[in-house]
Structures are given as structure tokens and as C-alpha cells.
Amino acid sequence: MIFDLDMIKRVYAELPGKVEAARKLAGRPLTLTEKILYAHLVDALPAKPFERGKDYVDFNPDRVAMQDATAQMALLQFMQAGRKKVAVPSTVHCDHLITAKVGAKDDLAVANKESKEVYDFLASVSNKYGIGFWKPGAGIIHQVVLENYAFPGGMMIGTDSHTVNAGGLGMIAIGVGGADACDVMAGLPWELKFPKLIGVKLTGKLSGWTAPKDVILKVAGILTVKGGTGAIVEYFGEGALNLSCTGKGTICNMGAEIGATTSTFGYDASMERYLRATGRNEVADLANGVKAHLTADAEVYASPEKYFDQVIEINLSELEPHLNGPFTPDLATPISKMKEVAAANGWPTKVEVGLIGSCTNSSYEDISRAVSIAKQVAAKGLKTKGEYCINPGSEQIRFTIERDGFLKVFSEIGATVFTNACGPCIGMWDRMGAEKQEKNTIVHSFNRNFAKRADGNPNTYAFVASPELVTALAIAGDLTFNPATDYLINEKGEKVKLDEPAGDELPQRGFAVEDAGYQAPAEDGSNLTVNVSPTSDRLQLLDPFAAWEGVDLKGLKLLIKAKGKCTTDHISMAGPWLKYRGHLDNISNNMLIGAVNFFNEKTDNVKNQLTGAYEGVPKVQRAYKAANIGSIVVGDENYGEGSSREHAAMEPRHLGVRAVLVKSFARIHETNLKKQGMLALTFSDKADYDKIKEDDTMDILGLTTFAPNVPLTIALHHADGTSEEIKVNHTYNAQQIEWFKAGGALNIIRASIKA
């Protein structure tokens, strides 16, 4: 089944003319990124080319994808918009609310029981508003999108930071908050600052133990977790042509970990093979008809330094397997250096668990290469030292690898196969013994490895690697084991060496599935109702946020001055809190409980300026709200890094925080704050972060003349009676200032549709 074929035909029919017009405007050859962006403009071409990193631009994405945890809030907002049906093709994927504990069958049954209310809500909203619904167990959103919806040259947004995975099929696919998704589903333009462009030239060819995952692990080490902020990464070169489509998806997927807006590759033979293998021959034929427009102009790749803001070159023939971590996905270590690096840092080297799968590495190729290593356990008389767990990417993948005997091989080495869902990758892992908080090491093929993320244990050292390297390390039970050079001792006391991984890019017998898990919406849902119980602790209808009072904000209390890394996991934890993603008041009880308080180095422990007592962050903020006192959150660099979850913006908004003041923001989180009517501010002088004291009361001045490119002033009133003023910057344009004044973008949408 090909979804939304008429839409794809329309995009391709219009593409040549739009690209040619954009090329004339620019007066030069175009990158692939520029072709897709200019082809999806809301308005006619501007008088001059957009300035990268400066101009805000309105786009018309082709589709929207939502995972169940973020879809709840996105759809609760959409229900307020007043539309009878979504304006663009949209889907919901139930992959986040399934806890990995025993195994696929039992875990899915528990999820269907525990989250029945949420699944019923999402299914009914989808049915009413014309949204495709993928049931629990159908698979992980990004794998399902790649298999069914992604197409070269398209543009999509999704309420998950790893929406960027679809770049593996040549899309511009961008992670956003639910409010952005709501805009597009309501038929409104989607705004993005025109991105800078980073070109990554790949030469050579992967071999041996090196995998596509190692490309992005290397890039993350080069660019760090914020080096891609505000930029789209475009991969090209002979090395890119030598990668599989799903390998490209892996690389794009983890682009979220360098802060990139998205990543993409030009259309090539591997993408055509993947489209045909997944039953989309007609899409492949259409793409072939416009393939010159589905990659950059030849001059761009011949002289990339003329067209990209930054160029990185990686020789795949020289690249070696990497392990990134612990606690951050950009700490890159080649496997050959791990022994000395681990010793120097005191990292525990016994591998307790190896986990493969997730949205990043759950393709047929990934599993087939991992199983080629697993087969050697029996063949070479070995015994797996660590636990081994698998999350297949989709029911189509799971069904196919079972048919091809892969699951039997994994079973023989003691593997646990979890549901086709996110599971441990997002903290939905009920890991036995994690509550003891013992120091230990795990390796996984996921994308993120922040403290506590996988199992809730702050002392779990998590390292990111390719599925094949994870498998080898689980067999060896040793983080420093280099399968390319090192030997293992088998059960007979013999020295044996693992053979290099080998696998098929695509299943030789084709993909197969009995029930993919898709539920089509009603043709006309106008008479259907969506019921939410007023006593539910999982779902809560939203009330509009209040509009700005029209005056400067004075008397704001410092809620917390966060120290160091403060990701969306720190601001709004996942794991057990996922069950409250549809209930804003309940989930607000996790607001900033993972952030480290600068003044006492503790988490969830801040000073209540009304009483002088030290209490949990949400408790203190609720006390301020009850007293009708606003507050400010202060943060460090790259604040809001990580997931797209807009709860990290909605929770402080709901509880009465008025502004977030930091050294720098991650892109999605800054946008989410703006959408919810919050003030997202940055220090003009980053050294002013040190001026913020624990008992400060603050005034935000200049709001009555709030304008683009004009700094605001914050007056700091210290407990000793002294005061001082600091300048703060913002990136609000005229439209975003209106969001602030209205109390949030949704209030403007609601008013416009009613009008």
C-alpha cells in the first residue's frame, strides 16, 4: 500500500519549476537542502535569497508524524483549534508507552491494559480528524515512517527530535514541539529560521567492523552536542553512495545529538532499492523522473566550500568503530583507544547488558549484521557474558527476521526480544536491580546516553555503538574488547577470534508481515466524539493560557539556577512520567526535578523564598503560583538539549514561570517556549550568569516596547538590598512577539479559525 500518492505526485510535478526559479533567484547552483526548502515555501519567492541563520521563513510541510507520548498534548491542542480535519496527511504511532521488562508478548499486554485510556483517546482523535493510527506493537515511529511515508525531496515535521531519521530517504524531516504540529495540521504555515548548511563529504567505503553508525559517532565527536545548532547537515560523496538507505537513516537519526535542525542525503540507487523493497515502486518511478532535482547540483559537490558554511570530510575506508559516552553522545572514542581511555577515566569496563534496536538502528540490515555475530557464539564454543536485548523497529522487521531465523539465533544466546517499541532507549526499561544505583556499564545502539536515561540509575555508564559492536561487546563482556584485533577464550579454553560482521542490506526473500498494525481513519469523522473523563489522571483537556498583562514583569522570584547540562530529560523526565504526558497538571510534578541547583549541587532541592525552606522544585513553584508570584528559571549552555518534548516548556508555563534566561538554547526547546507564550532570553554577557544569586527577585523591563533585535533589561534585586541591571537578548520576530502577547500561539490559531 502506498500512502498519500496524490500528494507525492503533486510535489514532484511542481518540483522542477520551483527548483529552477530558486536557482535563478540565487544566481548559482543549489544544494539539495536549498532545493527542498525553496520548493516548500508558503509564499512566492522573495526579492533576494534568504540569509542563512537570520531570516525567518514560512514553509508548507507535506506531512506530520506524532508518537504517542507527544501526540497527546499535540492533539489536545489541535482539538482547541476548531478544525474538522487535519489539513495535511498526519499519523500517530504508539511506541513510547510500552515498558520493556519481561518480553514482547507480556510487556505489550501490560501496556494495552495500563494505557488503554490513552490509546483509546489517541485512536478516537485520529479517527475523528482523519489521522492514520499505528497501534501499540506496530513499531517505532521513525522506522515506520521510513518504511511507509518518507519520500525523496519531501518535507515533514514530527513531534519527536528523531524525526530527522527520514533524511535517510532524502527528506527534509524536522523534529518540533506539538504546538508546531498543531499549526501545520490546522493548515497554517510552519516557521523556521533559514538554516546554515554543513556539508559532510564521505569518501571511501566502509569495511570490517565499521558501520554507518560510526559515521555519526565520528561527526558527533567533531561537532559536539551543539555544533550543528541552527544548521542542516547534507551528506554527499562517493562514500554516501556506498551506504544503504537505512544506514543513511541511522546517520540522520543521530544528527539530533549534534543539535542539527536535520540531516539529509541526495537520492541515489540505495534509496530506489529501499522504496521498491518496501512496496513503493510507483514512488521510485516518480523520483527517477525528477532525480536531477533530488540531489545537489553537480557544481556544489565538486566545490563544496563555496556552497556550505562548513565542510567536514571523512574517509570511510579509514574510519574505525567508535564508542561514544558515557553520559553524553558526543564523547567519541575509537574502539582501539578504549582500553587506555577507560583506564584513565576510571570507567567500569565489565559490560552488563548490550541492547540493540531503537529508532536509530533497527533495520533489517542492522539485525542481519548483528545476527552474523550472534551465530558465532555456538559456532566458536563461546558463551555470552552480558545480557542481550533487542527492540525490533517495526512489526514488518520483526515478522521478517523471525521468518528468516534470526530470532531463533538470538534466542540461542539468551537474548530477550522486547516489543517493537522504544523501550530502554527512552527510559521505558524496568531493569531489575536498577534501583540499587550500582555503578555499571551498558552498551547500546541507541542515540542518547544521558545519566539516568535508560534505566533511571545515575551510575549506569551507557556507551553508544553500532549493533554489531554492541553484540561483540555483550559476548565478550568487556568494554575494552576490540573485535578487530582481540581474541576470546571459549568454553574449551581455546583462543578464538570473531569473524567480521556480514549481512544483507535488504531481505533476499522480501519483507513480509501479516498485520502491520495500521488503522485508517473514518472518511467523515465530523459526527464522532472524543471523550475525556474529568477525573482521569492520564488525560486532561487544556485551558488556554492567559494573555500577557501588557506591563513589565516585576517581582519575579528565582526558581532555580541550573548548573551545567540541562536537557529536556532534566526538565521533564521520561520513564515512569510518560504516563502523564496527556495530563499537564500531573506531569508538571516532574518539572526540573533532574536539574542541578547551582547553589547546593543537589537535584530537586531549591530555596522557597517565601519560607526559606529547601523543597522540591515543583512544590516551590506551586507555592509561588498560589501566591500569584511569577518566577524565572536560569540555565547554562545549550539549555533544553535533547528531546523535542514540549512538556519541558508547557510545565513551567502552567505552573507560573514567566521566563527562562540562559547562556544559550537548543533550537527546538527555544521554539517550544516561544509557542507557549514564554520569554526565552539569553545573557548578552554570559558572565552575568554569575551575578544571579539564590535570593534574587527580578524585574523584566522593556516589554511594553518589545521588538525584534532590541535587547531587554533585567533588574536584579539582591537580598542584601543592592540592585543591578543586566542586558538580555532574544530572537523573537514580530510574529513570535504576538505569540507572547496573546499568551501562546494556539490562542492566535483559535481566534483566526473562529474568525
Side-chain angles (χ1 to χ4, degrees):
M1 177 181 180
I2 300 178
F3 292 94
D4 311 307
L5 184 59
D6 288 342
M7 177 267 286
I8 297 172
K9 287 180 177 178
R10 185 180 67 252
V11 171
Y12 284 164
E14 297 173 354
L15 187 62
K18 288 182 175 180
V19 169
E20 182 56 34
R23 192 182 288 115
K24 287 181 180 178
L25 172 71
R28 57 167 175 79
L30 297 178
T31 65
L32 168 65
T33 300
E34 290 169 318
K35 290 181 180 182
I36 298 176
L37 292 178
Y38 276 103
H40 286 83
L41 296 178
V42 169
D43 301 316
L45 287 175
K48 61 179 182 178
F50 294 114
E51 187 173 344
R52 298 176 188 173
K54 182 177 180 181
D55 292 334
Y56 281 96
V57 183
D58 286 339
F59 295 100
N60 278 330
D62 299 312
R63 66 176 315 108
V64 174
M66 297 165 279
Q67 41 95 335
D68 50 355
T70 51
Q72 295 171 65
M73 201 58 70
L75 293 175
L76 285 165
Q77 292 177 84
F78 179 75
M79 288 169 65
Q80 293 188 54
R83 281 195 66 102
K84 293 183 178 180
K85 191 172 184 177
V86 291
V88 300
S90 303
T91 52
V92 168
H93 305 259
C94 295
D95 61 0
H96 271 56
L97 300 178
I98 303 168
T99 300
K101 183 177 182 178
V102 178
K105 183 178 179 180
D106 292 342
D107 294 346
L108 181 58
V110 170
N112 277 322
K113 181 179 179 181
E114 290 184 345
S115 294
K116 183 179 187 303
E117 180 184 15
V118 173
Y119 293 148
D120 287 349
F121 166 74
L122 293 173
S124 63
V125 174
S126 298
N127 201 30
K128 179 174 177 62
Y129 293 106
I131 299 169
F133 181 74
W134 291 82
K135 296 179 287 187
I140 306 172
I141 175 174
H142 312 304
Q143 179 67 31
V144 173
V145 165
L146 199 71
E147 291 175 357
N148 295 277
Y149 299 111
F151 67 98
M155 184 182 199
M156 68 174 286
I157 61 170
T159 61
D160 189 286
S161 56
H162 294 104
T163 299
V164 295
N165 189 84
L169 250 176
M171 291 195 86
I172 292 295
I174 300 175
V176 300
D180 278 350
C182 181
D183 284 0
V184 175
M185 290 189 293
L188 300 178
W190 175 65
E191 181 189 74
L192 177 73
K193 185 180 288 186
F194 205 84
K196 293 185 177 181
L197 300 182
I198 297 174
V200 180
K201 182 178 182 180
L202 302 179
T203 62
K205 188 174 183 178
L206 296 173
S207 63
W209 284 90
T210 309
K213 183 65 160 268
D214 297 304
V215 176
I216 186 57
L217 295 180
K218 176 73 172 179
V219 170
I222 295 170
L223 289 176
T224 78
V225 291
K226 63 176 184 176
T229 302
I232 289 179
V233 182
E234 186 172 322
Y235 291 85
F236 62 95
E238 61 168 333
L241 299 176
N242 291 327
L243 297 171
S244 67
C245 178
T246 53
K248 292 177 173 73
T250 291
I251 293 168
C252 293
N253 182 292
M254 266 197 75
E257 274 53 73
I258 58 173
T261 301
T262 192
S263 304
T264 195
F265 285 79
Y267 178 65
D268 63 11
S270 72
M271 295 185 192
E272 180 182 354
R273 289 193 298 271
Y274 188 76
L275 285 169
R276 296 193 188 283
T278 51
R280 291 175 284 176
N281 282 319
E282 195 164 354
V283 177
D285 292 340
L286 289 168
N288 286 342
V290 292
K291 62 183 178 182
H293 307 295
L294 298 176
T295 189
D297 292 331
E299 298 92 332
V300 172
Y301 293 159
S303 303
E305 64 283 348
K306 294 181 181 179
Y307 303 97
F308 293 97
D309 299 289
Q310 180 180 355
V311 178
I312 297 168
E313 186 167 339
I314 297 174
N315 186 340
L316 302 186
S317 300
E318 298 174 354
L319 184 65
E320 67 172 298
H322 277 63
L323 277 168
N324 283 29
F327 306 126
T328 185
D330 60 345
L331 184 55
T333 304
I335 187 64
S336 64
K337 303 291 185 185
M338 181 52 73
K339 187 170 292 186
E340 60 187 83
V341 174
N345 288 281
W347 297 336
T349 58
K350 180 185 177 184
V351 173
E352 304 285 351
V353 190
L355 306 104
I356 70 167
S358 84
C359 66
T360 318
N361 278 106
S362 56
S363 69
Y364 186 88
E365 181 181 42
D366 290 327
I367 304 299
S368 68
R369 284 174 62 85
V371 85
S372 75
I373 308 303
K375 286 177 179 178
Q376 298 178 51
V377 173
K380 296 180 184 291
L382 294 165
K383 185 176 181 180
T384 306
K385 300 287 181 62
E387 293 181 45
Y388 190 70
C389 306
I390 306 159
N391 276 87
S394 69
E395 175 57 16
Q396 178 167 268
I397 294 290
R398 189 212 63 78
F399 190 94
T400 304
I401 64 174
E402 181 177 42
R403 179 203 67 189
D404 291 351
F406 294 175
L407 292 186
K408 184 176 184 295
V409 175
F410 287 133
S411 176
E412 289 170 352
I413 68 167
T416 300
V417 180
F418 291 132
T419 314
N420 314 319
C422 301
C425 182
I426 59 161
M428 293 298 282
W429 183 20
D430 189 355
R431 183 185 179 193
M432 186 179 297
E435 73 283 353
K436 299 176 184 177
Q437 298 197 357
E438 295 174 337
K439 193 173 181 179
N440 76 106
T441 284
I442 65 173
V443 291
H444 59 59
S445 67
F446 308 159
N447 39 51
R448 292 188 177 137
N449 56 348
F450 305 139
K452 299 185 180 182
R453 182 172 174 91
D455 62 3
N457 178 3
N459 298 312
T460 291
Y461 287 61
F463 293 83
V464 184
S466 67
E468 43 269 63
L469 185 57
V470 168
T471 306
L473 295 179
I475 292 169
D478 183 356
L479 187 70
T480 68
F481 174 69
N482 182 354
T485 59
D486 297 346
Y487 287 81
L488 296 170
I489 305 299
N490 69 10
E491 296 293 283
K492 296 179 182 179
E494 301 166 333
K495 285 178 64 176
V496 295
K497 194 167 182 286
L498 294 176
D499 299 327
E500 293 176 351
D504 293 320
E505 174 186 330
L506 296 162
Q508 294 180 12
R509 297 162 58 194
F511 286 108
V513 67
E514 287 183 350
D515 178 8
Y518 176 70
Q519 179 176 300
E523 284 293 324
D524 180 6
S526 57
N527 294 321
L528 300 177
T529 58
V530 178
N531 296 317
V532 175
S533 169
T535 60
S536 172
D537 71 343
R538 296 289 299 272
L539 296 165
Q540 179 188 47
L541 295 176
L542 296 175
D543 293 320
F545 289 130
W548 172 55
E549 302 89 334
V551 297
D552 287 340
L553 302 179
K554 297 185 176 182
L556 307 178
K557 300 295 185 184
L558 174 69
L559 175 61
I560 186 173
K561 179 178 176 178
K563 180 180 180 180
K565 187 185 283 285
C566 191
T567 71
T568 49
D569 275 20
H570 295 89
I571 305 167
S572 176
M573 287 185 176
W577 290 95
L578 279 176
K579 64 184 178 182
Y580 296 125
R581 284 283 179 88
H583 197 295
L584 182 56
D585 193 58
N586 281 348
I587 200 169
S588 293
N589 288 320
N590 79 358
M591 185 189 73
L592 285 158
I593 62 176
V596 176
N597 182 359
F598 177 90
F599 299 105
N600 61 12
E601 302 279 338
K602 296 180 179 179
T603 57
D604 201 24
N605 188 273
V606 297
K607 188 173 184 178
N608 183 335
Q609 292 193 46
L610 302 180
T611 65
Y614 283 84
E615 299 171 304
V617 182
K619 184 175 181 181
V620 171
Q621 183 54 41
R622 287 187 186 275
Y624 292 157
K625 183 177 182 179
N628 200 29
I629 296 172
S631 65
I632 290 182
V633 169
V634 173
D636 213 317
E637 296 279 9
N638 208 30
Y639 184 88
E641 167 193 344
S643 166
S644 68
R645 68 191 66 156
E646 67 183 334
H647 299 76
M650 295 186 76
E651 291 173 30
R653 178 73 165 103
H654 172 66
L655 292 184
V657 176
R658 302 303 299 268
V660 179
L661 171 63
V662 301
K663 293 180 181 178
S664 65
F665 282 106
R667 176 191 63 86
I668 299 177
H669 186 62
E670 181 181 21
T671 300
N672 286 345
L673 290 168
K674 292 178 179 180
K675 284 279 185 175
Q676 300 303 334
M678 295 276 285
L679 286 170
L681 309 173
T682 56
F683 292 100
S684 293
D685 181 354
K686 292 182 180 181
D688 287 344
Y689 172 88
D690 298 323
K691 294 180 180 178
I692 308 296
K693 302 185 184 303
E694 189 172 30
D695 294 302
D696 279 353
T697 298
M698 308 182 204
D699 304 330
I700 302 178
L701 310 175
L703 290 175
T704 55
T705 54
F706 194 10
N709 305 313
V710 179
L712 298 172
T713 298
I714 290 186
L716 305 175
H717 304 293
H718 304 306
D720 62 5
T722 62
S723 297
E724 57 184 316
E725 292 187 350
I726 62 173
K727 290 293 183 183
V728 294
N729 296 329
H730 65 85
T731 59
Y732 287 75
N733 59 25
Q735 176 177 272
Q736 294 167 350
I737 290 173
E738 293 305 310
W739 297 347
F740 167 72
K741 291 178 178 179
L746 184 58
N747 290 344
I748 294 177
I749 295 173
R750 186 187 304 107
S752 67
I753 290 178
K754 284 183 178 178

